[in-house]
Amino acid sequence: MSRRGARLPMGGVAVFYAAMALIAVAIAHVTHHAPIRVAGSPALAAAGIALGVGLGLAVVGVSRAVTKTAWGDAMERELGAIVGAPTRGEAALMASASAVGEELLFRGVALPALGLIPSALLFGALHIGRSRALLPWTAFAAVLGLALGGLTLITGGVLGAVVAHATINYLNLLAMARGQQ
């Protein structure tokens, strides 16, 4: 597929994830009467960033290995058909917007309200795709939800999970774009 293939509208992506973040903040305000915790302390914030980068890079390594299998290649092609071949800037926007919106909702609100496993399962459910080829992505997202939730619990805030999520999405979006050129 060329770079001219179907692409997500970046304005729509930004609005969707901004709305998700605002919904998370509103839910937190209404139900917890406290803001979503970004970090437990300055030391835990630094640890969260370091652990987030490490987790993100490890997941990207697993993702790249999975795409070498037949089902992983089919999954990546299906995802590529959805997101197109984003530029570096578009990949950065999609990665950062989705990381902030999803982490505020799932780790900032759902995790404290529902617990680790239910919030991870909801995160996986958000990643149900339009075809059977994306079922492994859904399962992978649920497992990743456990890891991101664990990181949030360990560090006392969502910062590490946001960093990990953004790292994963950015590098995987760039890899998908390279595969479509």
Side-chain angles (χ1 to χ4, degrees):
M1 177 185 256
S2 72
R3 291 187 79 75
R4 287 176 265 156
R7 294 170 74 170
L8 291 175
M10 291 301 106
V13 168
V15 167
F16 176 79
Y17 287 113
M20 185 180 286
L22 289 173
I23 289 168
V25 170
I27 291 170
H29 177 72
V30 169
T31 61
H32 303 300
H33 298 289
I36 295 170
R37 291 184 62 123
V38 174
S41 70
L44 287 174
I49 291 169
L51 290 169
V53 169
L55 175 61
L57 292 174
V59 170
V60 169
V62 169
S63 299
R64 296 297 90 218
V66 163
T67 61
K68 295 186 184 336
T69 67
W71 62 269
D73 180 60
M75 181 176 62
E76 185 172 60
R77 279 187 279 113
E78 186 72 23
L79 285 170
I82 294 168
V83 300
T87 65
R88 287 183 183 273
E90 290 168 339
L93 173 68
M94 282 192 280
S96 59
S98 64
V100 170
E102 291 180 16
E103 293 311 316
L104 288 178
L105 185 60
F106 291 98
R107 261 53 73 185
V109 174
L111 176 62
L114 304 174
L116 181 60
I117 293 173
S119 64
L121 292 174
L122 282 174
F123 183 68
L126 175 75
H127 293 83
I128 291 175
R130 63 184 186 187
S131 76
R132 293 177 59 96
L134 292 177
L135 286 176
W137 182 52
T138 303
F140 189 74
V143 171
L144 181 59
L146 290 171
L148 294 169
L151 179 57
T152 299
L153 292 172
I154 289 167
T155 62
V158 299
L159 182 59
V162 169
V163 169
H165 197 146
T167 300
I168 294 162
N169 287 359
Y170 180 71
L171 295 175
N172 280 339
L173 283 166
L174 290 181
M176 278 191 285
R178 281 192 304 272
Q180 293 182 41
Q181 292 177 349

